Structure formats: structure tokens, C-alpha cells
């Protein structure tokens, strides 16, 4: 990994806090307590798929996606976005890690609500990271520094919480990401324990899989997770610069990616999402771009370059897709959200 040289400024401070530099990545894994069990079932791994022809990252303004709009915090406060989610009405939720709060925006970027402050009480946060929204509009927050998940309604009213520091069932060591499947079950990336845990919407523990390492089905500083419409699960393995795919019950199926700047390669990947067609979008932070793949890992598109202009990004931290296929990018070092649409 060569993450430290490519990350700077505000994001560098964010990375330090989130334990995402190369040295800290392995420290996080090595400090984990006794590890989770792997699923009882086993399955043959699929071979990673590569593209039949190169998919080059285009110059700004010429790529497969065009900029629709962009916005910052909207209230003049420092904005250090790290996680993003879009609800069924197109409203956008952003975890503002540096200010320990959640902001809700309209589809056009107008501020609708905001809540949170630093602390460990209900509705307070310590470095909130990835977020997810369910079909009813409830928001789930990976409250990283408090080792818990918090659940809110769409206006920010606190509903529930679960977790606590540790390696037991339902406990976390630096939970980094959260997502939901079509049934409303909740999946949490338990970064420090190198595993995924699955819960009901009420926080009841259901299952777990993974252990620290670089092998198939092992997780090296995992930082994000998404579930496709068929229930397949994708995890960003930051420490190994790859994406791993699991069955709905946690059986390893495939992986793709190595460290590099080529098609299907990554430098410090930080976020991902899946659209209704099963396409996977990855925030390739160290390469200052978004990469798009089909469900078996074949590169389909890429866009972005380093900078603060339109179509440019500076260490993108997370990505989301709405029902129309528009792509929302947490442009963290530029302290903004950018929204892209497919060029016709």
C-alpha cells in the first residue's frame, strides 16, 4: 500500500482518525480480539474477470458521466463528508465526520435537516463514517468512535442503538460501514475485527463471517459494504486493494483488484455501491476516480481526475446511486458532494 503519499490535508487527518493509512490498516487488524467464525457452508471461488478491452479514465469533461450539480455543507461550517446515502424520494444524507453530524439535503442540494454533535449520548457521534437508509426512510449510522450503530427516522429523531466495544457477537471494534438488504436486514463492516456482522432492523444479531487476512474470504481493513438486488454482498478490502463478493449467507465467491492505476486496479479504495442492475461503483480514492464494474468485476467505465474543477475529485471517500442512475460522490478533500449522470 502507498496510501500516505497520495493523501493530504484534511483527508489525511480524516484518514489518521479512521485508521486508514497503510501502517494503521495492519495495526487495526493485528489488534483485533479473537476472530469470528466463518460460515459453515463452503463454495468454490469464482475466478476474477478482466475486461476484454481497456477502459481508460478520460480527461475531465469528456468521460462517460457528466456533472449535474455540486454542493457543500450549505451552512458555512467546515464540511468533512465521509459517507452518503440516497432515499427513495431522492433526498441525500451525508455523514459529516469532522463536525460529528448528519446532514439531509434535497435532491438539488438544499439543506433540509441536520443533527448530531460530538459525544456518546443518543444522537451524538464520534467520527461517524458510512450510512445507509431503509425503504421507510430510516437512517443507520456507523458511529465509528463509539463502536455502535445508531438508527434515526428521516427527521433525525433517535430510534435505537446497538453495539459496544469488543469481539463478541453484536460487538464492534471500529465499525466503519453499514448497509441493508431487500428484507431490511442490516450488515456492518466491523473494521477492527476483520469481519461482517448481520443484524435484524432492530439490532438483533443474526450472523457473522470473515477474519483478518489477505486470503479469499478474509478481510484486510474492510471499509465499505453493499448488497445487490439479488442479495449478493460486496466488501471493499482497503488493505488488499480489492473488492470481495459473497453469497447472501457469507460464502466467498469472487474478488477483483490489486494495487495499481490500471483498469480494475485500486489505490486505497474507500467506498462502493450497487445499482438496480447489479453494477458496482467504487470510490478509488488514491487514483482520484470512480470505477464502475459489472457484477463479476469486469470494468465498464471510469471517470475523474485529481483537482477541484467540475468532473474532478480529490480523494473520493464514498459513492451512492439513486433510482434514476445518477451517481453521488463524496468529494472529501474538496469538501463537497458531486452528482453525475450518464452522458447520452
Amino acid at each position: 500500500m502507498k496510501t500516505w503519499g497520495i493523501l493530504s490535508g484534511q483527508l489525511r487527518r480524516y484518514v489518521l482518525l479512521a485508521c486508514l493509512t497503510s501502517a494503521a490498516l495492519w495495526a487495526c487488524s493485528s489488534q483485533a480480539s479473537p476472530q469470528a467464525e466463518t460460515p459453515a457452508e463452503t463454495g468454490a471461488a469464482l475466478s476474477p474477470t478482466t475486461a476484454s478491452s481497456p477502459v481508460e479514465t478520460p480527461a475531465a469533461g469528456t468521460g462517460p458521466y457528466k456533472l449535474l450539480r455540486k454542493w457543500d455543507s450549505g451552512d458555512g461550517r467546515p464540511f468533512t463528508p465521509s459517507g452518503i446515502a440516497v432515499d427513495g424520494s431522492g433526498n441525500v444524507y451525508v455523514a459529516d465526520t469532522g463536525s460529528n453530524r448528519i446532514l439531509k439535503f434535497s435532491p438539488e442540494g438544499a439543506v433540509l435537516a441536520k443533527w448530531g454533535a460530538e459525544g456518546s449520548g443518543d444522537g451524538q457521534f464520534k467520527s461517524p463514517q458510512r450510512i445507509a437508509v431503509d425503504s421507510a426512510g430510516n437512517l443507520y449510522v456507523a458511529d465509528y468512535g463509539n463502536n455502535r450503530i445508531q438508527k434515526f427516522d428521516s427527521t433525525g429523531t433517535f430510534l435505537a442503538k446497538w453495539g459496544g466495544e469488543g469481539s463478541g457477537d453484536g460487538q464492534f471494534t471500529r465499525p466503519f460501514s453499514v448497509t441493508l438488504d431487500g428484507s431490511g436486514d442490516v450488515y456492518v463492516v466491523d473494521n477492527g475485527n476483520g469481519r461482517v456482522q448481520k443484524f435484524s432492523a432492530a439490532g438483533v444479531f443474526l450472523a457473522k463471517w470473515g477474519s483478518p487476512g489477505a486470503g479469499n474470504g478474509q478481510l484486510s481493513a474492510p471499509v465499505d459494504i453493499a448488497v445487490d438486488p439479488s442479495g449478493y454482498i460486496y466488501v471493499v478490502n482497503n488493505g488488499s486493494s480489492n473488492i470481495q463478493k459473497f453469497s447472501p449467507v457469507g460464502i466467498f465467491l469472487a474478488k477483483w483488484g490489486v494495487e495499481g492505476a490500471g483498469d480494475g486496479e485500486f489505490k486505497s479504495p474507500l467506498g462502493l455501491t450497487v445499482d438496480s442492475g447489479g453494477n458496482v461503483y467504487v470510490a478509488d480514492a488514491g487514483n482520484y476516480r470512480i470505477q464502475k464494474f459489472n457484477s463479476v468485476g469486469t470494468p465498464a467505465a471510469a471517470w475523474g481526475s485529481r483537482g477541484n474543477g467540475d468532473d474532478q475529485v480529490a480523494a473520493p471517500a464514498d459513492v451512492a446511486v439513486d433510482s434514476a442512475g445518477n451517481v453521488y460522490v463524496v468529494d472529501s478533500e474538496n469538501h463537497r458532494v458531486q452528482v453525475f449522470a450518464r452522458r447520452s
Side-chain angles (χ1 to χ4, degrees), residues 32-40 167 188 190-191 193-197 207-213 215-220 222 235 237 244 246 249-252:
S33 300
Q35 305 308 323
E37 299 172 0
T38 56
S167 59
V188 179
D190 189 3
N191 177 284
N193 287 317
R195 65 183 179 180
V196 172
Q197 294 195 68
K208 61 186 176 184
W209 66 87
S211 61
N216 294 343
Q218 293 185 309
L219 300 176
S220 174
V235 178
N237 230 5
Q244 293 210 34
F246 298 87
V249 295
I251 297 170
F252 171 80

Side-chain angles (χ1 to χ4, degrees), residues 168-231:
D169 295 348
Q171 295 181 315
F172 307 112
T173 302
R174 299 179 295 274
F176 211 94
S177 182
V178 59
T179 195
L180 297 101
D181 64 19
S183 300
D185 290 330
V186 181
Y187 300 76
V188 179
V189 165
D190 189 3
N191 177 284
N193 287 317
R195 65 183 179 180
V196 172
Q197 294 195 68
K198 180 180 179 179
F199 302 87
S200 72
V204 177
F205 173 81
L206 299 175
K208 61 186 176 184
W209 66 87
S211 61
N216 294 343
Q218 293 185 309
L219 300 176
S220 174
V223 292
D224 207 0
I225 188 168
V227 182
D228 73 14
S230 298

Side-chain angles (χ1 to χ4, degrees), residues 69-71 79 84 94 328-329 331 335-339:
R69 64 187 72 94
K70 58 187 176 182
W71 65 79
F79 192 40
I84 192 165
V94 177
Y328 297 71
V329 176
D331 189 4
H335 312 290
R336 65 186 181 183
V337 171
Q338 294 199 73
V339 187

Side-chain angles (χ1 to χ4, degrees), residues 58-67 303 310-311 326 340-344:
T62 63
Y65 284 78
K66 62 182 179 180
L67 181 70
W303 72 96
D310 294 349
D311 295 346
N326 298 317
F340 298 90
R342 184 83 188 182
R343 290 186 189 275
S344 56

